[in-house]
Amino acid sequence: MMTRRSFLRTSVVLAAAHASRIALAQTDTVRLIVPFATGGTSDIIARLLGVHAANHLGKTIVVENKAGASGAIGLRAVASAPPDARTLLLGNISTQAIAPHLLADKQYPGIEEFSPLVLTGRTTNLIVVHPSAGIHNWDDLRRHMQGARVPVPYATGSHGGSPHLSFELLRQRMGWQAEHIAYKGAGPMITDLLGGHVKIAVDNLPALLPHVRSGAVVAIAVTSAKRWPGAEQIATLAELGVQDYDVTAWFGVFAPAKLPGDLATPIARAFTVAQQDADVRARFATLGAIADPQSGDTFARFVEAQYKLWGAVIKNGNIRGA
């Protein structure tokens, strides 16, 4: 039997949800926050999909870049916004599944502060070596790492990014000793890689593939479970015998926590339809990305699984925030 207090509480919740629906219906503008600077992959995906999703929503989607603090500034702007679908986030594997563990002591926003709406794309990571290392394939790399008496250095473009964590997961699975060298960006890292100053490196496929094709570096494997479109000649770690290994750098749209389902559904649908557009898929291909529009409970379970996976990897590796 409903008490007066519970009745009033339910009435307040229903009234708030109704007010949110009215607010969304009355506004013509939706803010899509990108927690990084302009020009990066997150920014490109947000702007590309935003235009097409806006057409299906019948509203204008304005992309706003709020960079800083490893994405925390942008995330806080979304987490603190009303759950009325007028403020959205273009998050990724780092902001939603990795940084909350690495930067927990800095009060980095956690996954409980967001409503996952739809996965908007993935790319894979690529492990490469400089030719001077004398490593020509996976077997060579495995023998090199297993025979090392001291930790073997490997480089990525950042501390705590998906390239770093993907190699850390591999290191843990294989029992290797390795030392991570974190650069301030992929550009400086690749410069040192091409110069032979670092011998083993990991980054998103699009950044390294041109150098594989030119012969400047040797491709060892991609981190995804399946071979990647446009790089089908490169084997996966799973094919090479690393069991249950599947790592992709992914992107998705999120809203503030407790967004009502009847507001979440049309937004997820709009971004899902946008990913079916031929121009969008072609542009994704140039980025080395693929569309994978999971939404609803499927996407929520995926985000939770990723959060748990990378939390365990970070804990097992005793990795701390930069």
Side-chain angles (χ1 to χ4, degrees):
M1 186 174 180
M2 181 175 286
T3 65
R4 175 179 174 80
R5 178 176 296 178
S6 61
F7 173 78
L8 291 173
R9 186 185 303 116
T10 301
S11 298
V12 169
V13 171
L14 291 175
H18 181 63
S20 294
R21 287 190 286 274
I22 292 175
L24 180 60
Q26 290 178 342
T27 185
D28 290 325
T29 302
V30 175
R31 300 163 65 215
L32 179 56
I33 305 297
V34 176
F36 302 104
T38 59
T41 304
S42 293
D43 181 62
I44 294 170
I45 288 177
R47 294 179 188 279
L48 177 63
L49 289 179
V51 171
H52 292 271
N55 292 333
H56 296 289
L57 280 174
K59 302 183 183 298
T60 299
I61 295 180
V62 177
V63 175
E64 294 184 17
N65 297 86
K66 290 186 177 293
S70 300
I73 292 175
L75 268 69
R76 290 188 186 116
V78 177
S80 62
D84 56 13
R86 290 188 291 176
T87 304
L88 305 175
L89 170 74
L90 198 291
N92 61 30
I93 182 175
S94 294
T95 61
Q96 310 306 124
I98 296 175
H101 298 287
L102 283 178
L103 303 174
D105 59 337
K106 298 181 180 179
Q107 298 183 324
Y108 197 94
I111 61 171
E112 71 281 355
E113 299 185 54
F114 302 94
S115 297
L117 300 183
V118 60
L119 187 65
T120 57
R122 303 176 188 252
T123 188
T124 189
N125 295 322
L126 176 62
I127 300 172
V128 300
V129 297
H130 190 269
S132 64
I135 297 170
H136 307 288
N137 50 45
W138 165 251
D139 287 337
D140 287 347
L141 176 63
R142 182 167 49 82
R143 283 191 292 266
H144 177 73
M145 297 297 295
Q146 290 175 340
R149 296 182 179 180
V150 295
V152 177
Y154 72 97
T156 75
S158 68
H159 177 83
S162 70
H164 172 199
L165 271 294
S166 62
F167 198 88
E168 173 62 23
L169 174 60
L170 177 62
R171 184 198 71 76
Q172 292 181 19
R173 292 277 177 87
M174 301 299 294
W176 292 345
Q177 295 188 78
E179 178 187 1
H180 179 229
I181 302 173
Y183 280 75
K184 293 182 178 180
M189 184 274 288
I190 292 174
T191 296
D192 273 8
L193 171 67
L194 296 179
H197 304 297
V198 294
K199 306 298 184 182
I200 303 170
V202 191
D203 205 344
N204 296 149
L205 175 75
L208 292 174
L209 190 57
H211 305 295
V212 172
R213 289 173 173 163
S214 72
V217 296
V218 178
I220 300 300
V222 292
T223 61
S224 49
K226 297 181 180 180
R227 297 199 181 201
W228 208 253
E232 291 87 351
Q233 75 280 12
I234 304 175
T236 70
L237 286 169
E239 284 181 272
L240 295 168
V242 184
Q243 295 184 351
D244 299 323
Y245 189 97
D246 179 15
V247 179
T248 55
W250 52 266
F251 308 84
V253 176
F254 297 78
K258 299 180 181 180
L259 182 72
D262 57 347
L263 293 181
T265 298
I267 295 171
R269 185 182 301 118
F271 278 92
T272 295
V273 173
Q275 290 181 68
Q276 309 305 322
D277 185 90
D279 291 339
V280 169
R281 288 180 173 265
R283 182 71 174 116
F284 267 39
T286 66
L287 295 172
I290 60 170
D292 185 12
Q294 300 178 23
S295 60
D297 290 342
T298 300
F299 183 43
R301 288 192 296 269
F302 171 79
V303 173
E304 184 177 2
Q306 287 281 288
Y307 180 84
K308 290 179 179 178
L309 168 65
W310 297 116
V313 170
I314 289 165
K315 181 179 180 180
N316 292 339
N318 194 28
I319 302 172
R320 304 185 183 279

